[in-house]
Amino acid sequence: MKIQESAENYLETIYILAERNGYVRSIDVATELGFSKPSVSRAMKLLRENNYITVKNDGTIFLTPAGQEIAARIYERHAFLTQFLIKLGVAEDVAKEDACRIEHVISEETFSKLKDFSQGT
């Protein structure tokens, strides 16, 4: 299933914030991404409608199994690609920025081969 890059970024951010803070609210997502509260609210509505998140009465956001799967996959790609680029000699800030773009377009096959290559297999 292919979802938009912006949805992947939101899911990844929710994943990271949940790991870091133990909970996530829309305001946390807005602050982390530097987006307006109305923009984040619209995005959360779409993610909820597509069954990627649930929102409790107190405003706490949780990833559904489908959302968790996507978020974990994107986060793994981001972390791996950042470290891979740094090992190649790319400056850390550039590596993070480039990894964020690459993580959304790289195929599963290519990502798997990069991981194999980095492990020497």
Side-chain angles (χ1 to χ4, degrees), residues 3 6 14 22 28-29 35 60 67 72 79-80 93 98 103 108 113:
I3 67 170
S6 62
I14 293 166
D28 303 319
V29 176
F35 294 165
T60 307
F80 171 82
D93 58 331
D98 287 348
E103 70 194 22
E108 191 59 45
K113 295 297 182 186

Side-chain angles (χ1 to χ4, degrees), residues 29-108:
V29 176
T31 300
E32 184 76 12
L33 294 174
F35 294 165
S36 71
K37 289 183 241 180
S39 293
V40 172
S41 291
R42 281 191 299 278
M44 294 304 107
K45 180 178 184 238
L46 291 171
L47 292 174
R48 194 172 52 250
E49 288 173 354
N50 287 291
N51 198 36
Y52 294 124
I53 65 168
T54 58
V55 181
K56 301 296 181 192
N57 290 337
D58 67 357
T60 307
I61 301 167
F62 295 92
L63 294 168
T64 64
Q68 177 77 22
E69 181 181 326
I70 292 166
R73 177 176 46 85
I74 294 299
Y75 181 73
E76 176 193 16
R77 287 176 175 206
H78 183 90
F80 171 82
L81 290 166
T82 298
Q83 289 307 308
F84 187 79
L85 293 171
I86 288 170
K87 284 180 185 176
L88 291 175
V90 177
E92 184 176 346
D93 58 331
V94 175
K96 286 179 180 179
E97 200 173 297
D98 287 348
C100 193
R101 287 194 294 268
I102 296 167
E103 70 194 22
H104 301 287
V105 296
I106 193 170
S107 71
E108 191 59 45

Side-chain angles (χ1 to χ4, degrees), residues 16-31:
I16 291 167
L17 289 170
E19 290 292 315
R20 184 188 312 155
N21 303 333
Y23 64 92
V24 182
R25 298 165 301 149
S26 288
I27 188 67
D28 303 319
V29 176
T31 300

